[in-house]
């Protein structure tokens, strides 16, 4: 299995620029709205005007921009970052789904380096239809501050894996266990999932899974809601949307974009 490298200074990594930010409390946990206008320049941004098909750029991105390769995986910078020191992990030969080896590499890196990993699918904020995971050394306290419902859920067969549900009015699962155990749990949940899209956030000791019914929960959030928002950073590309952001709207957006609690 590939061991992803620690982050070091690299001129190819695009600095994160947050033009403005506001702190809010969402379901009792700390989150913030961030103004990131540079992300409006992304090609194939999710939305009603995006075409059904477009040539997949993943292979070109990996070929032209890889900073590291190992065991079938590759790291590139992110041209339009939403996280500090952000890298993107891909398959060296792009594939539609992460698969167990990528999930294991991600979980091992997050726990070893005390960082965060964010995964979107098409239909849940991804702009490219090839498996990729965003890596950062940044941490957010939003998910860890959410209360959990009592009891565990028997959804997959992975020894030593615990699955709990957050005590929120939408389906949000917390996986706990060793990195390889959580990686196996995410992979099995991918096969058990009955929704086309989901977001996954990996943090030290915990992995969060958010199955999706709707990509853009307007008017509560005017853009595709992704793993960054689930992690606690609500990324706005225009000032009007940023100024209008409220905790009540964020809560409504998470409910409408997600599924009923289990």
């Amino acid at each position: 299995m590939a061991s992803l490298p620690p982050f070091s200074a690299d001129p190819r990594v695009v600095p994160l620029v947050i033009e403005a930010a506001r702190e809010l409390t969402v379901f009792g946990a700390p989150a913030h709205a961030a103004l990131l206008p540079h992300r409006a320049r992304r090609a194939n941004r999710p939305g009603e005007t995006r075409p059904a098909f477009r040539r997949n750029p993943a292979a070109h991105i990996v070929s032209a921009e890889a900073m590291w390769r190992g065991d079938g995986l590759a790291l590139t910078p992110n041209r339009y970052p939403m996280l500090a020191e952000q890298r993107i992990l891909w398959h060296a030969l792009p594939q539609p789904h992460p698969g167990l080896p990528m999930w294991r590499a991600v979980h091992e890196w997050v726990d070893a380096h005390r960082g965060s990993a964010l995964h979107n699918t098409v239909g849940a904020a991804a702009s490219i239809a090839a498996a990729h995971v965003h890596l950062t050394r940044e941490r957010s306290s939003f998910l860890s501050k959410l209360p959990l419902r009592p009891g565990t859920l028997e959804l997959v067969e992975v020894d030593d894996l615990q699955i709990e549900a957050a005590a929120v009015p939408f389906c949000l699962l917390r996986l706990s266990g060793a990195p390889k155990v959580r990686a196996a749990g995410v992979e099995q949940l991918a096969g058990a999932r009955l929704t086309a899209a989901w977001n996954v956030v990996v943090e030290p000791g915990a992995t969060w899974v958010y199955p999706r019914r709707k990509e853009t929960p307007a008017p509560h959030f005017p853009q595709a809601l992704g793993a960054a928002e689930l992690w606690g950073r609500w990324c706005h590309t225009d000032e009007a949307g940023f100024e209008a952001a409220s905790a009540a709207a964020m809560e409504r957006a998470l409910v409408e974009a997600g599924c009923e609690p289990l």
Side-chain angles (χ1 to χ4, degrees), residues 1-4 62 68 70-75 88-110 117-120 130-135 179-180 182-184 186-187 202:
M1 183 190 74
S3 179
L4 305 183
V62 170
W68 171 90
D71 198 21
L73 301 174
L75 279 173
I88 303 179
L89 182 67
W90 310 80
H91 294 286
L93 297 175
Q95 300 177 28
H97 307 293
L100 184 57
M102 178 181 278
W103 282 127
R104 289 194 65 175
V106 165
H107 281 77
E108 294 285 356
W109 184 90
V110 166
L118 284 64
H119 171 62
N120 300 318
H132 57 287
V133 178
H134 302 273
L135 301 177
K180 65 179 182 180
R182 286 161 27 229
V186 173
E187 178 66 8
V202 183

Side-chain angles (χ1 to χ4, degrees), residues 32-78:
H32 68 276
L35 181 58
L36 305 169
H38 63 274
R39 287 184 55 79
R41 299 195 298 270
R42 290 186 302 154
N44 300 328
R45 288 176 63 205
E48 292 182 358
T49 62
R50 185 165 66 171
F53 295 96
R54 185 159 286 171
R55 185 183 295 272
N56 194 315
H60 173 75
I61 292 171
V62 170
S63 176
E65 301 180 24
M67 309 164 60
W68 171 90
R69 294 174 183 266
D71 198 21
L73 301 174
L75 279 173
T76 71
N78 187 346

